[in-house]
């Protein structure tokens, strides 16, 4: 009886191994990064240290980390949500971009009082974002179209459609570079703590994380989403409207990604300046993988990724190492965390040993 | 604009733009027949494109370039197959990771070798030759359409026939289809499912690599950052529309090639270039809906008969 407290259930061991696998994935990625740095760098140790603890060097860099984390909160939650419903919808990238464009179109209007103007931009961003992620879902439900392919195509449609608007009707010929007219002052998001790089998008982001976590784990609709994601047939038999759930979830996820694009643009810039994909949607996929679609964990993962990106930027400033090193690290982390059989033998041995011990104790009683 | 579509230049451009799509389309056909959801073709193509440039630049031999390119692309295919088949990694995530790896990794390697991050124009890499077909090239109208293409463009059409033959007429092709349709049944007659899928993935990778080689050693004379620009995905879409049949897939890749060709010249018709760039993706989306609704009708008809 004394020992039985030490006996874990198989589920607990599997849970532990998820964490171990994540740590190993990060470790392998860092070892790989070390070798990559060694191929370019003159001072490997110094550069590798910058990669590891560069952002901690001064408070300005830590603010950069937090600032880079804001858009990731939105795309991370959006992707987690849609993946929870089992939908491999990768249009978060397009939804983020189109949301930013839609918000821009509203932000250019002068003469709306500030709080209403901001709400209107967010509304515009969320509606257009919802369309971008919702259309592939509707196509899937109605016409059996494979979501990965259609959502990917949707990204490009959103990108070029948005660029058309920015570079033609909204383009400011006096800007000196490819950008829209400046936003109306009333549309620019208020800053936090008087800091130029922190804006209320951070608070909105955490609110979204909180609300979606509650929706997904404490509300009937969230249960429907997860059931559809795990087993469509079972969901159907238990009376859950599968198609409706898929479409609504995708619309909601798109709206979140669209709001992400909105706050990122209106919080950091005075005009629309993107000329291509921002990669926040792809990063969202990595975050969802890291968190196993659990929105509660997104802030931690977003912080981790923002931290890595900041180190890569500072590494790029102080050394010859191209910031693309981050893509490589990201790829390695995703692939090893997603590898279910990675470390499986070790996990299996643990589970067997654990069960044998449990049996022995039972017999001993 | 109609003038252009009925011109010799247009057909020539369709074949040129369609070449990389044809290769990826055929790669995707083999992947689909083995029932592997692979989206890593972007990564394979990028690695192959860079590998070919590096190999040919350092050896000054086009065959060495071709082999290094194919090897580079196949490495990505091998990693994909190993993780998906032996480590039970979700194919979508593996593909995604390898595409990210492809974009970032190629820039990293390019920077390492040339000190440049945008393109490899400083490397003296080679290009595949253009082929002027004797006799045909002298026929008016047809000559300028069909002759004078890059060697790889002709190879692409050979690959279509080869893939069709391979899938439907060879033992290995039959095994791949069996494994794709019902792995348990295939295993019960002694086919090694994982090994067969692995082989299918490698073949698929080699074909996709040829598409990558065309990008940097035919379409363009050097490698540029993320130069495949979603072509790997358009190839998958074509395969989807053609429902895994090499010949139908070929037709759809040429449709997309046509959309791209129109896109490239749209500016001369005073259309904004963004609409032009959007065309192939929009056409794909519409195509997916049209085919999807047709399939759905067929399905409901079948159910009604039952």
């Amino acid at each position: 009886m004394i020992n039985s407290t030490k006996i874990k259930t198989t589920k607990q061991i599997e849970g532990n191994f998820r964490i171990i696998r994540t740590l190993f994935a990060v470790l392998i990625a860092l070892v790989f990064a070390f070798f990559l740095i060694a191929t370019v760098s003159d001072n490997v140790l110094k550069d590798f240290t910058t990669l590891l603890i560069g952002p901690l060097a001064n408070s300005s860099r830590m603010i950069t980390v937090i600032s880079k984390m804001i858009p990731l909160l939105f795309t991370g939650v959006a992707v987690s949500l849609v993946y929870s419903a089992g939908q491999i919808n990768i249009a978060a990238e397009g939804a983020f971009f189109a949301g930013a464009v839609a918000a821009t179109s509203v932000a250019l209007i002068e003469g709306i009082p500030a709080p209403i103007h901001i709400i209107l931009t967010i509304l515009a961003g969320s509606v257009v974002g919802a369309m971008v992620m919702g259309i592939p879902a509707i196509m899937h439900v109605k016409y059996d179209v494979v979501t990965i392919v259609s959502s990917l195509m949707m990204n490009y449609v959103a990108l070029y459609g948005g660029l058309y608007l920015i570079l033609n009707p909204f383009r400011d010929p006096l800007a000196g570079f490819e950008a829209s007219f400046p936003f109306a002052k009333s549309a620019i998001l208020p800053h936090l703590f008087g800091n130029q790089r922190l804006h209320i998008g951070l608070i909105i982001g955490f609110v979204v994380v909180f609300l979606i976590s509650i929706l997904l784990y404490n509300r009937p609709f969230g249960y429907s989403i997860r059931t559809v994601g795990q087993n469509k047939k079972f969901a159907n038999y238990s009376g859950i409207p599968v198609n409706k759930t898929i479409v609504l979830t995708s619309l909601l996820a798109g709206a979140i990604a669209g709001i992400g694009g909105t706050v990122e643009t209106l919080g950091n810039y005075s005009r629309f300046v993107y000329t291509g994909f921002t990669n926040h949607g792809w990063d969202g996929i990595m975050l969802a993988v890291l968190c196993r679609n659990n929105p509660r964990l997104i802030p931690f993962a977003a912080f981790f990724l923002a931290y890595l990106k900041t180190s890569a930027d500072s590494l790029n400033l102080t050394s010859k190492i191209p910031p693309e090193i981050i893509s490589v690290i990201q790829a390695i982390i995703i692939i090893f965390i997603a590898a279910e059989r990675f470390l499986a033998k070790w996990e299996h041995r643990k589970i067997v040993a654990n069960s044998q011990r449990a049996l022995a104790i039972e017999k001993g009683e | 604009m109609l003038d252009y579509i009925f011109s010799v230049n247009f057909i020539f451009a369709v074949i040129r733009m369609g070449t990389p799509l044809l290769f990826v389309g055929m790669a995707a056909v083999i992947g689909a027949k083995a029932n592997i959801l692979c989206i890593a073709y972007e990564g394979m193509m990028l690695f192959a494109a860079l590998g070919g440039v590096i190999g040919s630049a350092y050896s000054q031999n086009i065959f060495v370039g071709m082999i290094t390119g194919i090897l580079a692309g196949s490495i990505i295919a091998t990693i994909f197959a190993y993780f998906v088949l032996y480590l039970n990694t979700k194919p979508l995530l593996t593909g995604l990771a390898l595409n990210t790896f492809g974009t970032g990794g190629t820039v990293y390697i390019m920077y390492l070798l040339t000190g440049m991050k945008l393109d490899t124009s400083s490397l003296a890499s080679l290009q595949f030759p253009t082929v002027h077909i004797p006799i045909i090239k002298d026929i008016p109208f047809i000559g300028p359409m069909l002759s004078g293409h890059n060697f790889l463009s002709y190879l692409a059409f050979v690959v279509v026939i080869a893939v069709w033959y391979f899938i439907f007429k060879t033992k290995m092709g039959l095994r791949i289809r069996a494994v794709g349709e019902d792995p348990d049944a295939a295993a019960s007659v002694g086919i090694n499912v994982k090994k067969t899928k692995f082989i299918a993935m490698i073949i698929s990778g080699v074909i996709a690599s040829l598409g990558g080689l065309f990008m940097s050693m035919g379409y363009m004379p050097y490698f540029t950052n993320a130069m495949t620009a979603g072509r790997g995905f358009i190839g998958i879409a074509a395969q989807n529309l053609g429902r895994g049949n090499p010949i139908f897939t070929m037709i759809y890749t040429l449709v997309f090639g046509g959309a791209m060709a129109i896109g490239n010249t749209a500016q001369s018709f005073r259309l904004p270039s963004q609409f032009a760039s959007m065309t192939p993706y929009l056409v794909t989306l519409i195509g997916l809906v049209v085919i999807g609704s047709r399939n759905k009708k067929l399905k409901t008809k079948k159910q009604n008969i039952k």
Side-chain angles (χ1 to χ4, degrees), chain B residues 92-171:
Chain B
L92 175 88
L93 295 176
T94 316
L96 199 79
L98 288 174
N99 287 342
T100 314
F101 187 69
T103 2
T106 48
V107 173
Y108 204 90
I109 295 170
M110 179 161 70
Y111 179 77
L112 205 66
L113 292 175
T114 65
M116 311 248 278
K117 282 183 195 171
L118 281 178
D119 57 49
T120 60
S121 52
S122 62
L123 284 179
S125 60
L126 306 178
Q127 276 180 279
F128 284 94
T130 47
V131 180
H132 294 278
I133 315 168
I135 305 170
I136 290 183
K137 75 169 197 265
D138 297 324
I139 304 172
F141 214 64
I142 296 176
M145 266 186 216
L146 300 183
S147 181
H149 282 285
N150 189 285
F151 164 74
L152 289 177
S153 296
Y154 297 108
L155 186 65
F157 288 94
V158 175
V159 164
V160 173
I161 298 165
V163 164
W164 178 84
Y165 185 84
F166 173 71
I167 288 175
F168 294 109
K169 301 287 170 194
T170 64
K171 207 165 133 190

Side-chain angles (χ1 to χ4, degrees), chain A residues 114-132:
Chain A
I116 300 174
H117 203 171
I118 289 171
I119 292 169
L120 285 179
T121 55
I122 290 178
L123 217 63
S126 60
V127 168
V128 173
M131 272 162 56
V132 172

Side-chain angles (χ1 to χ4, degrees), chain A residues 218-289:
Chain A
N218 298 334
R219 287 284 172 278
F221 182 60
Y223 179 74
S224 301
I225 293 175
R226 287 183 293 129
T227 314
V228 169
Q230 272 158 14
N231 192 337
K232 262 193 198 175
K233 276 183 187 158
F234 174 74
N236 197 21
Y237 288 133
S238 38
I240 294 170
V242 174
N243 288 349
K244 200 174 139 193
T245 309
I246 288 174
V247 172
L248 282 179
T249 312
S250 306
L251 286 171
L252 183 59
I256 294 170
I259 297 174
T262 305
V263 301
E264 179 68 2
T265 316
L266 298 179
N268 292 322
Y269 305 100
S270 58
R271 21 175 124 227
F272 189 95
V273 290
Y274 301 136
T275 51
F277 282 136
T278 57
N279 276 332
H280 288 120
W282 295 115
D283 290 340
I285 297 176
M286 181 204 170
L287 297 181
V289 173

Side-chain angles (χ1 to χ4, degrees), chain B residues 256-267:
Chain B
F256 294 143
M260 284 186 161
I262 293 175
N264 277 354
T265 50
Q267 267 170 307

Side-chain angles (χ1 to χ4, degrees), chain A residues 32-33 36-37 39-40 83 88 90 139-146 148-154 156-157 160-161 163-164 167-168 282 285-286 289 316 320-325 327-328 330-332 334-336 338-342, chain B residues 37 39 42 79-80 83 86-90 92-94 96-98 100-101 103-105 107-108 111-112 117 225 229-231 233-234 236-237 240 272-275 277-278 280-282 284-286 288-289 291-293 295-296 299:
Chain A
F32 207 87
L36 277 185
I37 289 174
T39 56
V40 184
Y83 280 21
I88 308 168
I90 44 185
M139 283 169 71
H140 173 67
V141 168
K142 280 213 146 179
Y143 302 114
D144 275 340
V145 175
V146 185
I148 309 172
V149 178
S150 59
S151 56
L152 205 112
M153 299 293 129
M154 204 58 211
Y156 286 95
V157 173
Y160 290 115
L163 280 182
Y164 165 73
L167 296 180
N168 292 291
W282 295 115
I285 297 176
M286 181 204 170
V289 173
N316 192 36
K320 292 185 292 184
I321 293 145
E324 277 77 13
I325 193 170
S327 316
V328 178
Q330 263 178 303
I332 296 172
I334 292 184
I335 206 169
F336 276 102
E340 277 172 25
R341 309 255 332 140
F342 173 56
Chain B
L37 179 74
I39 60 159
E42 283 282 293
I79 298 174
F80 179 88
F83 269 87
Y86 292 96
L87 291 179
N88 265 7
T89 316
K90 290 210 172 71
L92 175 88
L93 295 176
T94 316
L96 199 79
L98 288 174
T100 314
F101 187 69
T103 2
V107 173
Y108 204 90
Y111 179 77
L112 205 66
K117 282 183 195 171
N225 185 2
R231 282 182 175 80
F233 293 104
I234 296 184
I236 299 169
N240 236 288
S273 68
Q274 289 84 22
F275 280 138
S277 317
M278 198 202 280
Y281 308 104
L282 208 58
T284 312
L285 273 179
I286 296 167
L288 286 168
V289 170
I291 300 278
S293 60
N295 287 353
K296 200 141 199 181
K299 248 190 216 167

Side-chain angles (χ1 to χ4, degrees), chain B residues 161-196:
Chain B
I161 298 165
V163 164
W164 178 84
Y165 185 84
F166 173 71
I167 288 175
F168 294 109
K169 301 287 170 194
T170 64
K171 207 165 133 190
M172 194 62 216
L174 178 69
R175 281 189 185 169
I176 288 176
R177 280 185 293 144
V179 162
E181 267 170 37
D182 193 335
D184 294 334
S188 74
V189 292
I191 299 175
N192 185 333
V193 175
K194 280 187 181 172
K195 199 173 133 197
T196 311

Side-chain angles (χ1 to χ4, degrees), chain A residues 163-187:
Chain A
L163 280 182
Y164 165 73
L165 288 176
I166 295 300
L167 296 180
N168 292 291
F170 299 160
R171 179 163 187 180
D172 183 359
L174 300 176
F177 55 104
E178 294 193 333
S180 74
F181 288 104
F183 303 133
K185 288 267 176 319
S186 51

